[in-house]
PDB file of all heavy atoms in Angstrom:
ATOM      1  N   ARG H  77     -22.906   4.015  13.448  1.00 95.00           N
ATOM      2  CA  ARG H  77     -23.620   3.079  14.332  1.00 95.00           C
ATOM      3  C   ARG H  77     -22.690   1.982  14.854  1.00 95.00           C
ATOM      4  O   ARG H  77     -22.814   1.548  16.001  1.00 95.00           O
ATOM      5  CB  ARG H  77     -24.814   2.477  13.594  1.00 95.00           C
ATOM      6  CG  ARG H  77     -25.969   3.456  13.396  1.00 95.00           C
ATOM      7  CD  ARG H  77     -27.089   2.840  12.576  1.00 95.00           C
ATOM      8  NE  ARG H  77     -27.678   1.664  13.217  1.00 95.00           N
ATOM      9  CZ  ARG H  77     -28.663   0.943  12.685  1.00 95.00           C
ATOM     10  NH1 ARG H  77     -29.155   1.291  11.490  1.00 95.00           N
ATOM     11  NH2 ARG H  77     -29.149  -0.097  13.322  1.00 95.00           N
ATOM     12  N   LEU H  78     -21.753   1.553  14.015  1.00 95.00           N
ATOM     13  CA  LEU H  78     -20.803   0.536  14.465  1.00 95.00           C
ATOM     14  C   LEU H  78     -19.940   1.083  15.601  1.00 95.00           C
ATOM     15  O   LEU H  78     -19.711   0.400  16.608  1.00 95.00           O
ATOM     16  CB  LEU H  78     -19.926   0.091  13.297  1.00 95.00           C
ATOM     17  CG  LEU H  78     -18.905  -1.006  13.604  1.00 95.00           C
ATOM     18  CD1 LEU H  78     -19.591  -2.266  14.130  1.00 95.00           C
ATOM     19  CD2 LEU H  78     -18.090  -1.338  12.353  1.00 95.00           C
ATOM     20  N   LEU H  79     -19.469   2.303  15.472  1.00 96.00           N
ATOM     21  CA  LEU H  79     -18.661   2.896  16.532  1.00 96.00           C
ATOM     22  C   LEU H  79     -19.488   3.172  17.784  1.00 96.00           C
ATOM     23  O   LEU H  79     -18.992   3.052  18.917  1.00 96.00           O
ATOM     24  CB  LEU H  79     -18.010   4.189  16.029  1.00 96.00           C
ATOM     25  CG  LEU H  79     -16.801   3.986  15.097  1.00 96.00           C
ATOM     26  CD1 LEU H  79     -16.420   5.292  14.415  1.00 96.00           C
ATOM     27  CD2 LEU H  79     -15.618   3.434  15.878  1.00 96.00           C
ATOM     28  N   ARG H  80     -20.755   3.501  17.594  1.00 96.00           N
ATOM     29  CA  ARG H  80     -21.619   3.749  18.751  1.00 96.00           C
ATOM     30  C   ARG H  80     -21.836   2.475  19.575  1.00 96.00           C
ATOM     31  O   ARG H  80     -22.046   2.548  20.796  1.00 96.00           O
ATOM     32  CB  ARG H  80     -22.975   4.319  18.300  1.00 96.00           C
ATOM     33  CG  ARG H  80     -22.911   5.773  17.877  1.00 96.00           C
ATOM     34  CD  ARG H  80     -24.282   6.275  17.441  1.00 96.00           C
ATOM     35  NE  ARG H  80     -25.186   6.382  18.577  1.00 96.00           N
ATOM     36  CZ  ARG H  80     -25.350   7.470  19.325  1.00 96.00           C
ATOM     37  NH1 ARG H  80     -24.646   8.560  19.049  1.00 96.00           N
ATOM     38  NH2 ARG H  80     -26.190   7.498  20.325  1.00 96.00           N
ATOM     39  N   VAL H  81     -21.761   1.325  18.920  1.00 95.00           N
ATOM     40  CA  VAL H  81     -21.878   0.058  19.655  1.00 95.00           C
ATOM     41  C   VAL H  81     -20.855   0.023  20.774  1.00 95.00           C
ATOM     42  O   VAL H  81     -21.159  -0.328  21.924  1.00 95.00           O
ATOM     43  CB  VAL H  81     -21.675  -1.138  18.695  1.00 95.00           C
ATOM     44  CG1 VAL H  81     -21.473  -2.425  19.492  1.00 95.00           C
ATOM     45  CG2 VAL H  81     -22.856  -1.275  17.748  1.00 95.00           C
ATOM     46  N   PHE H  82     -19.631   0.399  20.471  1.00 96.00           N
ATOM     47  CA  PHE H  82     -18.546   0.313  21.449  1.00 96.00           C
ATOM     48  C   PHE H  82     -18.547   1.518  22.387  1.00 96.00           C
ATOM     49  O   PHE H  82     -18.114   1.413  23.539  1.00 96.00           O
ATOM     50  CB  PHE H  82     -17.217   0.182  20.715  1.00 96.00           C
ATOM     51  CG  PHE H  82     -17.152  -1.061  19.870  1.00 96.00           C
ATOM     52  CD1 PHE H  82     -17.483  -1.017  18.518  1.00 96.00           C
ATOM     53  CD2 PHE H  82     -16.799  -2.285  20.420  1.00 96.00           C
ATOM     54  CE1 PHE H  82     -17.446  -2.161  17.736  1.00 96.00           C
ATOM     55  CE2 PHE H  82     -16.762  -3.434  19.643  1.00 96.00           C
ATOM     56  CZ  PHE H  82     -17.090  -3.371  18.298  1.00 96.00           C
ATOM     57  N   TRP H  83     -19.030   2.651  21.911  1.00 96.00           N
ATOM     58  CA  TRP H  83     -19.150   3.813  22.794  1.00 96.00           C
ATOM     59  C   TRP H  83     -20.204   3.562  23.871  1.00 96.00           C
ATOM     60  O   TRP H  83     -20.009   3.900  25.043  1.00 96.00           O
ATOM     61  CB  TRP H  83     -19.526   5.051  21.965  1.00 96.00           C
ATOM     62  CG  TRP H  83     -19.888   6.249  22.805  1.00 96.00           C
ATOM     63  CD1 TRP H  83     -19.147   6.814  23.798  1.00 96.00           C
ATOM     64  CD2 TRP H  83     -21.103   7.003  22.733  1.00 96.00           C
ATOM     65  NE1 TRP H  83     -19.814   7.885  24.347  1.00 96.00           N
ATOM     66  CE2 TRP H  83     -21.014   8.027  23.712  1.00 96.00           C
ATOM     67  CE3 TRP H  83     -22.245   6.929  21.932  1.00 96.00           C
ATOM     68  CZ2 TRP H  83     -22.036   8.955  23.895  1.00 96.00           C
ATOM     69  CZ3 TRP H  83     -23.248   7.859  22.122  1.00 96.00           C
ATOM     70  CH2 TRP H  83     -23.142   8.851  23.104  1.00 96.00           C
TER      71      TRP H  83
END
Side-chain angles (χ1 to χ4, degrees):
R77 287 176 61 181
L78 182 58
L79 284 168
R80 285 180 70 91
V81 167
F82 299 95
W83 171 54

